[in-house]
Structure formats: structure tokens, C-alpha cells
Amino acid sequence: MSIVLDTGRGSKASDGLRIVWLGGLGEIGMNCMLFEYEDEIIVLDCGIHFSDLDHFGVEFVIPDFTYLRERKHKVKAFIATHGHEDHIGALPFALKSGIVAPIYASQFTTMLLKKKLDEYGLRDTAEVRTFRMGDEIKFKHFKIRTESVNHSIVDAAALIIETPVGRVIHTGDFKIDKTPFYGNMIDERAFGRYGDEGVLLLLSDSTNVERDTVSSGDSMIYETFEKLFAQAEGLILVSMFASNVGRMGQVMKLAHQMGKKVALSGRTMEQNAKFGQEIGYLEHAKSVLISIDQIDQYDRDQVIVLSTGSQGEYRSALIRVSNGEHAQVKLQKGDLVVMSSKFIPGNERAIGKMINNLFKQGAEVLYEAVHDIHVSGHATRPELKQMLEWTRPKYFIPIHGEYRHLVHHAKLARECGVAEKNVLVAVNGDIVEMGPSRFEKIDHIDEPRVLIEGREGNDVSKLVLKDRRQLGEKGVVFSLLVRNAESGRIISGPEIIAKGLVHESMEGWLLEEAKTVVKKVVSRYERSFDERGPKIDIQEEIRVELRRFFEANIGKKPVVLPIVLDL
Ligand SMILES: [Zn+2]
């Protein structure tokens, strides 16, 4: 586990509101922020960060919960702004580490959360309390009002947090969509009213601060899809994030209008569509949905398949389609694939390969770079400016973004009239304290992140990661010797085995030479004996000599494991 707090750090007596970031600053993902006042802590979001696909077995990264664990008696609630993995994905790990408190979430988020807790066997560990937009959640020191925002998932909330030192607005992930497919545009008047009444601090989503044009609304997607679907000659496959119930609804409405059928591929897709229907979305599902096994019963141009896998994830539905391995969906000339989600940085290589394979199957493939078939769920610069103008905060901290996004967003806030000294760019681990006339970083937790290997939650230490990288890049060599346990004399060996070192054709020669190197060490070892035993550490000598030998002959130092068996 990557650590963390020196004893006593971050535990100075406090007379103000303390905000601590365990994630979400200086990176996209792993959002986790906590508000602490006297004997109370409220945790806002608790997400994961997906690791790059080729990151030596590390699947994702979660916040290091040490700070919370040390104060777990103070934790009164987790509040989820919406159901994306980078906001709720780490909750099971927080609960498992013993930080247990009720979880507050909107309707759709509640459904995703309950399913997640089920999967981890934690359904009874913490109570999930569902809020509606506009609800007030009251604690001893905090009163939190939920405010609906537009985003790429339904039921996303901003939080208006009344604290003992003043009002804080946390936008969560948001955009300003004048034409959302479900629900209304974010409530301009409400945010304006908060601004009129006074906002002490604004925490605002920075993801898209580099984009200058107002982002398109959901209606743009609908019109684009309408045109594309009308022109399609064969089967249509639309890939998207399974959590994007709004996008699903748009496709189903179009299918309904055009007399087509919709089949879902991917378990999460089916599950989320069911959740969506249960809470009143996807009103056309009943009339258009067919099972994926039924698609052969319809003409090709009658079928739209909705699938997951737009990030090129291993074994996902879309990957299987691209490799011709999907049991029900085989592409052919005339088919259309629409990849309607953004490419998450780090996944580009896998996605590129998948797109090539989709083309090889004969289909036409449309994706972000060649066609406007996705709108982002995050506010661009003009919308962020709008949020600053509505709320007119005294203090400003940009959140949710890589470091450069935070810097740009901080500049924007100053342009919008927030005083220079009242804008603060914080990073993960920062502890900020504030009162009505106080606003400062008081401490920092080093690298509050843990690398996770899989669902069991095994963490991967820096040392293990270094070993894996070395094994992956340089290969490994085993040298085996057998020694008489009593006399200490070598009685058999050396045997040398290598993995991932050089081309097989070179290996025989190289390992014979390596044997000679080890034999020389053995004879030095044998000669070093006096009445007290050998004078040299044979294992260490072998390690040093072999690494030197391989560096001279193949230009790299593999991991060398000298094994001496005492019999
Ligand atoms: Zn989100």
C-alpha cells in the first residue's frame, strides 16, 4: 500500500472547515473528496481510476483510505453525485476497509450501487438511501441540497453544501444542455439564486476547460443518428457506455419511429436497460426490444444492436464482433457500426486495432474522429464561465481534471472576477482549511492511491510493480546449484533456465556461456573454503556476474535468480 500520513500529520486541531482530496485532482477519475468539520466527515464520491490497459496487471487505482480509516468514527455519510465508475467504483473498497456509513445516491445511481454491493457481497454492510433532486440531507454540521445537472448519465446531481463557515457548491460532473433527452436543462435560476444569496466556495468540473465551443446538446445526437440510420443498408450496431441510458433511449425512440428492432449485447447493457425502465426511462423499450438470439428472424436492415466495448475492452461484445467471434452478431458489407462514446486516453491503441478489424469485417465504421456521433457530458469553457457567473463565489477550487485543466480553469475563474488570492489549484492529497476569511492549504498526504489487481482488491506495491516491469522488459534467468548441506560443497549444477530473454535461436549458445560464468564462480567459491567454511556469498556472486555477462553480450540486465538447494 502506498503510504501516506506521518504520525500526527493532518491531525492539527482545526477550527475551520477542512476539505481533503483523496482523488480527482490532477487526473481524470478516482474522484473522492471529503468535508470535515469537528466530529463529522462527509465523503463526496468514491471512485476508481482505470489503469492503462498494458499496465502490468494493475486493473485500476483507488484512493488510499488511511486518512478516513484513522477517523472512521467521524464518517457520517458517503454521497454519490452520479453513477459513473470514477465516482462510485471504490465504495466497496472503502466499506471493506472498515469505513462504514450510509450511502446517499439518486435513483439510478442507487440501482447501480446496489448491484455493485451485491457483486462484492456487501449489500448488508451499508444502507443505501435514495435521494430525489431538490432533497435536503441534514447532518449535525452540514446540510446538503441536491440539484439536478445535465451529464452523460441520468440522475446526476450537484451538491449545495451549507457548512458552518458558509455555502459550498460542488458541481459534480456537469454540462449545460439546453435540449437534454431526459429531464430538464440544469436550473439556471436556482444557481443564480444561490449566487445572489452568496457562495463561499465553488468546486467545479474542469474536464473540458480546453474546449472553446459550447458543447452540443443531446438533440444533436438524435438528429445525427436519424440521418445515419435512414441511410444504413444493413444491420446497425451502436456501441456506447452501458451507463448511458439517455443514449439508449434515443436509439430506442428512433427504432420505434423507423419500425426497427433493438437487441442488447452485453450483460451490463441488459442490466442497465432494465434499471432504466424500472425508474421510468426507456419508454419505447417494450415495443422495440428483442433478444439478441432473435436477430436472425428479422431482415438485416430491421435490426439495431446496442453493445458495450467502445474502449476495446478485452472480451467485450464489440471486440468479439470485430474478431468475428460474437455468437449472434456477424458483420458484413452494408452494415454500419457507430461508436458513440469518447475514447478514454490510454485506450487508443486497443480501440484503433478494434476499428481496423471492424472494417476488415466489411462494415462501415463511424467514430469520434471522423463523425460527430458523441457529445461530451462535461461543460466546456463557455459553460464553465456561465457557472462562475451564476454562482459568483468568493473562493474557487477547480476539480476533476488533469493538472493543466485545473490551471486553465483557475485562470478562467480569475477572469470572471474571483480575486487572485482566492483561487487555489490543489492536487490529490491536499488538505485545505477555510473559514469566512481564511482559505489555505494546511497539509498534504503523499500519493494517496492504491493500485488494485482485481475484484478481490489485492493491492500491488511499488516494488511488485517494479519487478513486473523488469520481468516484462528484460526477462528472467534462473541459475540452479545443489549443495551438500553438511560440507557446503557444490555437488551438482549449474543448470540455467531463461524466460523472455533472447530469440530461441540464440538462447542455447548464450546459456552455455552463462554456465561457464557460473562454473567460474563455483570454483572460486570452492577455493575460498577454510576451516570455518566458504568466504564468499555464492548467490550474490552469481547474480552480479550473470548480470554483468548478459549486459556485455545482449545489452540488458535481466532479473537473475540464483538458487542453491541444500541437500
Ligand atoms: Zn461522470
Side-chain angles (χ1 to χ4, degrees), residues 302-322:
Q302 293 293 293
V303 177
I304 302 175
V305 175
L306 287 183
S307 98
T308 53
S310 49
Q311 300 304 312
E313 302 97 319
Y314 177 68
R315 296 313 298 162
S316 65
L318 193 57
I319 274 277
R320 280 182 284 133
V321 171
S322 77

Side-chain angles (χ1 to χ4, degrees), residues 282-300:
L282 306 180
E283 59 279 25
H284 298 288
K286 276 212 167 65
S287 66
V288 299
L289 270 188
I290 56 170
S291 144
I292 192 89
D293 298 315
Q294 293 175 300
I295 60 175
D296 281 343
Q297 300 166 19
Y298 293 84
D299 290 339
R300 258 192 119 59

Side-chain angles (χ1 to χ4, degrees), residues 194 361 397 564:
Y194 296 131
Q361 306 285 330
I397 300 179
V564 178

Side-chain angles (χ1 to χ4, degrees), residues 321-391:
V321 171
S322 77
N323 295 331
E325 291 168 359
H326 195 289
Q328 294 89 5
V329 186
K330 307 275 180 216
L331 293 178
Q332 60 188 51
K333 199 168 174 346
D335 292 345
L336 173 69
V337 177
V338 179
M339 296 175 65
S340 184
S341 51
K342 77 165 191 160
F343 298 170
I344 294 176
N347 298 346
E348 292 93 342
R349 248 183 25 214
I351 297 171
K353 197 171 151 201
M354 182 174 70
I355 293 176
N356 290 333
N357 287 337
L358 288 166
F359 273 116
K360 283 182 195 165
Q361 306 285 330
E364 171 68 11
V365 189
L366 300 179
Y367 44 99
E368 202 177 21
V370 295
H371 212 290
D372 275 340
I373 44 177
H374 171 63
V375 293
S376 168
H378 298 272
T380 59
R381 201 174 167 82
E383 297 160 60
L384 296 172
K385 188 161 175 261
Q386 183 73 79
M387 180 55 79
L388 279 154
E389 286 168 359
W390 285 339
T391 53

Side-chain angles (χ1 to χ4, degrees), residues 94-105:
L95 298 180
K96 275 209 258 184
S97 74
I99 306 153
V100 176
I103 306 167
Y104 293 82

Side-chain angles (χ1 to χ4, degrees), residues 10 47 183 321 338 352 359 505 511 515 539 542 555:
V321 171
V338 179
F359 273 116
S505 63
L511 298 192
K515 244 185 210 176
Q539 275 161 303
I542 291 172

